[in-house]
Amino acid sequence: MASLLSLPKPFSQNPHFPTKPAAHSHSLNVIPRNHSFSGRGLLHFQHGSFRAREMRVIRSSNQTEAVPDYSIQVSDVPLLTCSEAIERLKTYRENQHGKQQFLAMYSSIFGGITTDPAAMVIPIDDHMVHRGHGVFDTAAIKDGYLYELDQHLDRILRSASMAKIDIPFDRESIRRILIQTVSASKCKTGSLRYWLSAGPGDFQLSPSGCHQPALYAIVIQDLSPFNSKGIKVVTSSIPVKPPQFATMKSVNYLPNVLSKMEAEEQDAFAAIWLDGDGFIAEGPNMNVAFVTKEKELVMPQFDKILSGCTARRVLVLAEGLVRDGKLRGVRVENVTVEEGKKADEMMLIGSGILVRPVVQWDEQVIGDGKEGSLTQILLNLIIEDMKSGPPAVRAPIPY
């Protein structure tokens, strides 16, 4: 393991970075077919950026519109050395001020952990990048513990098997690498995301040219405040993934992205997928559950959707509410849209949002339009489980 986890010297400690870009320029002229042009325009690069100097009017058979000139003069595009490219990556990262901070990354390609965000990169010829041949998972970091690490690790290994991706190390070695990556990050509260891919090699469709499978992991600290306010959801018009792909957690998330964007365009938090038979399936990256008027917790079956680790943990914790008389029962079965919209409470469940109450679905108000009391109880149970649950769901980090 020592050879696998040897720490590379952070790029920020290298004093020999040249900063002057090498001069390199050429011109490129591209004229699209079947268009006529009037006027003159110019796009040019200057110090790493480009702008349209003029516009041409392009007339086609059915429309006239102003677009940038396609006769492009490219100049001042530097040919960078490796150290110059890395220096620019560092500058790029330093200028990003998002709510997420990347504290540490492991890569089996360079065989170690780095805490320099500029070095947190994946080879462009990795099959995960250009063919989507990769799987991933995420575990929450809470108070210095990884929550449900083993459950998430088991799932990524199942996903890798379904995606026909060999694993670069055995399960226990992967587990140690993930824990050491969090330890190096010094992060006490955040998330650990990790990928298994077919690995780099070439740009062919088949992974037969990939040299070896790859493991990547990154520790993320999210500065966004936690929000448990009730949300609106809509029914997704984006086709649901077929079960073979929906039940594995692969990096092919374009349908999920489009579904989330569709929701945001309608001022909603998420869009709900229906399966091929019209039953309720899942959200773009979370499971869905309901509390019926009979006070039963109902969740769609996992045979056609992703088996959510947090959702399954909610089912376990909910059994305690049955024993206490707060719930009459817990069921996992097909749920119709009509049943879902008539429920007393609705919630989304996932490692990123934990348990989030839903107060409106399309135009239908759920229950009394307020955050459900049992939804709040389940959220509190998950939060308490993350803080003081049994060793089976909490893996300590040796900082």
Side-chain angles (χ1 to χ4, degrees):
M1 288 303 298
S3 62
L4 291 175
L5 296 175
S6 56
L7 295 177
K9 184 177 181 180
F11 292 116
S12 59
Q13 296 177 12
N14 190 333
H16 304 298
F17 282 155
T19 57
K20 182 179 179 181
H24 177 71
S25 65
H26 65 278
S27 61
L28 174 65
N29 296 293
V30 181
I31 306 296
R33 297 179 180 178
N34 303 323
H35 287 86
S36 61
F37 297 85
S38 64
R40 179 173 179 81
L42 178 67
L43 291 175
H44 81 141
F45 285 84
Q46 186 172 20
H47 301 299
S49 63
F50 71 91
R51 64 176 184 269
R53 295 294 298 274
E54 298 179 25
M55 305 290 286
R56 281 191 183 187
V57 175
I58 297 182
R59 296 186 177 89
S60 62
S61 58
N62 58 356
Q63 62 181 354
T64 300
E65 59 179 327
V67 299
D69 187 359
Y70 281 89
S71 298
I72 301 175
Q73 300 296 322
V74 180
S75 62
D76 298 330
V77 178
L79 179 62
L80 303 175
T81 65
C82 178
S83 57
E84 288 170 337
I86 292 172
E87 188 64 28
R88 291 194 175 202
L89 278 172
K90 288 177 62 64
T91 301
Y92 173 83
R93 284 296 186 190
E94 290 167 357
N95 290 333
Q96 302 305 303
H97 303 290
K99 294 180 179 180
Q100 292 188 336
Q101 295 181 354
F102 312 130
L103 303 183
M105 177 188 176
Y106 170 84
S107 168
S108 63
I109 301 303
F110 53 71
I113 301 167
T114 179
T115 58
D116 189 336
M120 298 177 187
V121 295
I122 295 175
I124 191 66
D125 60 338
D126 192 298
H127 247 232
M128 183 170 69
V129 175
H130 65 87
R131 295 299 183 190
H133 196 181
V135 295
F136 77 102
D137 223 302
T138 305
I141 306 165
K142 182 66 174 178
D143 299 335
Y145 286 80
L146 273 164
Y147 185 63
E148 290 199 298
L149 171 62
D150 289 296
Q151 291 80 357
H152 286 279
L153 186 52
D154 288 340
R155 186 171 65 180
I156 195 175
L157 294 177
R158 289 196 302 269
S159 294
S161 177
M162 295 173 68
K164 297 184 178 181
I165 296 172
D166 294 330
I167 59 175
F169 316 112
D170 60 72
R171 183 190 187 280
E172 188 56 34
S173 295
I174 293 174
R175 190 180 191 274
R176 288 199 299 267
I177 289 170
L178 297 179
I179 289 175
Q180 289 193 29
T181 303
V182 178
S183 177
S185 75
K186 307 301 182 185
C187 181
K188 298 297 180 65
T189 299
S191 62
L192 170 70
R193 179 161 295 193
Y194 42 100
W195 298 260
L196 288 167
S197 87
D202 55 35
F203 289 91
Q204 300 301 318
L205 185 60
S206 168
S208 59
C210 296
H211 306 303
Q212 60 184 17
L215 169 67
Y216 307 103
I218 191 166
V219 178
I220 306 167
Q221 188 173 58
D222 197 326
L223 303 179
S224 303
F226 182 74
N227 193 340
S228 61
K229 183 179 179 181
I231 54 174
K232 172 187 174 182
V233 298
V234 295
T235 303
S236 180
S237 68
I238 306 300
V240 66
K241 294 179 183 178
Q244 179 181 0
F245 299 108
T247 53
M248 78 169 78
K249 198 171 178 69
S250 78
V251 298
N252 295 284
Y253 256 47
L254 183 56
N256 310 62
V257 170
L258 294 177
S259 179
K260 176 68 171 178
M261 293 176 67
E262 178 183 39
E264 292 175 344
E265 289 164 359
Q266 300 179 56
D267 296 321
F269 181 81
I272 304 301
W273 267 318
L274 308 181
D275 68 21
D277 297 317
F279 293 110
I280 297 169
E282 59 185 339
N285 62 340
M286 68 284 289
N287 293 100
V288 60
F290 304 89
V291 176
T292 69
K293 296 186 182 302
E294 294 75 29
K295 300 304 178 186
E296 290 183 303
L297 179 67
V298 183
M299 195 177 294
Q301 298 184 75
F302 299 108
D303 56 336
K304 298 179 183 178
I305 61 176
L306 188 69
S307 179
C309 294
T310 308
R312 287 194 175 277
R313 188 60 182 165
V314 165
L315 291 173
V316 172
L317 297 174
E319 292 292 347
L321 299 182
V322 176
R323 291 191 295 271
D324 293 341
K326 295 178 180 179
L327 279 174
R328 290 188 58 187
V330 176
R331 293 185 284 119
V332 177
E333 62 182 29
N334 289 331
V335 184
T336 68
V337 174
E338 181 181 10
E339 290 170 334
K341 289 186 175 181
K342 287 183 177 180
D344 268 3
E345 300 182 32
M346 178 178 179
M347 65 198 81
L348 301 180
I349 305 172
S351 60
I353 60 171
L354 300 184
V355 181
R356 190 78 186 265
V358 176
V359 296
Q360 183 178 338
W361 183 358
D362 294 330
E363 302 306 318
Q364 177 67 49
V365 173
I366 304 299
D368 59 5
K370 299 178 182 179
E371 294 85 354
S373 59
L374 286 167
T375 300
Q376 185 62 51
I377 291 174
L378 289 170
L379 170 61
N380 292 340
L381 286 174
I382 281 288
I383 292 175
E384 183 60 31
D385 199 48
M386 296 175 75
K387 292 179 178 179
S388 59
V393 297
R394 298 175 76 237
I397 306 298
Y399 294 99

